[in-house]
Amino acid sequence: MSELTLENYKFPSEKLVKDVEAGKTPLVLVACGSFNPPHIMHLRMFEEARNALAGSEFQIVGGFLSPVNPNYKKPTLAPFPHRLAMTQAAVESSSWLVTDAWEGLQPEYQRTLWVLKHMRKEIDAIYGAGKCAIRLLCGADLLQSFASPGVWVPSMIQEIFCDFGVVVLQRPGSKPIDDMLKGDDFKTVLETEENLKNALAHTLATSATEAAISSTAIRENFQTGRSNKYLLTDAVIDYVEGTWSTSNPVYQQKKD
């Protein structure tokens, strides 16, 4: 199999639902992240979002995981080909989730807004311009980071809220999302009452199953020979362990 590059990249549309119910607006969910490695809660958040939207005006027609570009420069970030392969393995058995390699194949680091705009271009070509809604899927901790100085570009956050929207997985007992958006931390980011109104209108909060699963802890388990069974899909575990006999393992095992 040839190496995937920008030149031979094709948008993964094979699992998209093409026949949309009458009266429903098709909706695509997009999650951006390191996926280092992709664990079961990365997958579960898509299912929880789909449960929350059942019976709404939307019909979820697809879900996309977009592994971050290697120029994100996080010290513990596994090489993109490994993260791509692991994420593809993680969604292999899903009827509606796929991995999109576009972000990671770019020559430079890609902002989340740019990933969403790429997604809009591809989805519009399939469903028609503006016919399918696209929402960023994330946890409440990532949403809170929107208000952290120097992390996000305020104008990009405003565009994400106004032109796309966000589906937020909220942990039990955490601060309500509406209260978070109305708080002082977000005033600087949103800047105007109109932007706040759009943010509130285009943000859906849904409860998330409480599970303390850490990608850092999972990497340490691999490195020290401990089990990751039921934290990852078997396909991801098989991929990681299959690289140990090669010169390019995903996570290097520590020697005693």
Side-chain angles (χ1 to χ4, degrees):
M1 185 176 179
S2 61
E3 180 184 359
L4 182 61
T5 65
L6 271 179
E7 285 68 33
N8 61 22
Y9 163 83
K10 290 183 179 180
F11 182 67
S13 62
E14 63 275 8
K15 292 184 182 180
L16 285 171
V17 175
K18 305 301 195 304
D19 297 324
V20 181
E21 296 177 35
K24 294 279 190 178
T25 299
L27 171 64
V28 163
L29 298 174
V30 182
C32 300
S34 298
F35 302 118
N36 185 36
H39 54 65
I40 58 170
M41 292 310 294
H42 289 137
L43 307 179
R44 184 61 200 168
M45 69 178 181
F46 280 92
E47 298 294 339
E48 303 224 5
R50 186 161 70 163
N51 288 345
L53 286 163
S56 72
E57 77 256 40
F58 295 107
Q59 178 183 342
I60 295 181
V61 294
F64 292 83
L65 287 77
S66 181
V68 75
N69 187 277
N71 289 301
Y72 182 51
K73 299 298 186 183
K74 191 174 182 180
T76 57
L77 197 64
F80 176 69
H82 279 321
R83 290 183 293 111
L84 175 63
M86 288 189 292
T87 311
Q88 289 172 330
V91 300
E92 187 176 23
S93 64
S94 172
S95 64
W96 66 289
L97 300 180
V98 296
T99 299
D100 185 20
W102 180 88
E103 178 180 358
L105 292 173
Q106 300 303 308
E108 299 176 346
Y109 171 67
Q110 298 296 297
R111 293 277 186 175
T112 298
L113 177 61
W114 302 336
V115 177
L116 294 174
K117 287 187 173 184
H118 149 74
M119 194 65 60
R120 170 182 282 162
K121 177 183 175 182
E122 298 289 353
I123 294 298
D124 279 357
I126 296 168
Y127 291 93
K131 301 293 185 182
C132 182
I134 298 170
R135 297 283 186 271
L136 176 67
L137 177 64
C138 67
D141 51 348
L142 188 142
L143 183 71
Q144 183 61 59
S145 76
F146 282 9
S148 299
V151 177
W152 295 78
V153 179
S155 62
M156 290 187 173
I157 294 174
Q158 294 162 21
E159 196 168 347
I160 289 173
F161 277 128
C162 296
D163 293 351
F164 295 94
V166 184
V167 176
V168 186
L169 276 293
Q170 187 172 15
R171 293 186 179 90
S174 62
K175 186 176 182 178
I177 299 302
D178 281 10
D179 290 349
M180 186 187 299
L181 293 175
K182 293 175 182 176
D184 291 339
D185 289 346
F186 269 85
K187 284 183 179 178
T188 303
V189 173
L190 295 174
E191 294 182 340
T192 69
E193 287 297 323
E194 185 64 24
N195 285 335
L196 172 59
K197 181 180 177 181
N198 282 319
L200 292 170
H202 296 157
T203 302
L204 171 69
T206 180
S207 297
T209 300
E210 189 69 58
I213 298 178
S214 160
S215 291
T216 300
I218 289 171
R219 291 195 297 273
E220 290 177 353
N221 285 346
F222 276 126
Q223 291 166 342
T224 56
R226 293 184 293 229
S227 172
N228 276 312
K229 185 73 171 178
Y230 306 121
L231 295 175
L232 306 171
T233 65
D234 287 345
V236 174
I237 293 173
D238 290 346
Y239 176 83
V240 173
E241 293 182 351
T243 68
W244 286 344
S245 61
T246 73
S247 60
N248 186 30
V250 185
Y251 304 117
Q252 185 71 53
Q253 287 185 294
K254 294 177 181 176
K255 304 293 184 181
D256 292 332

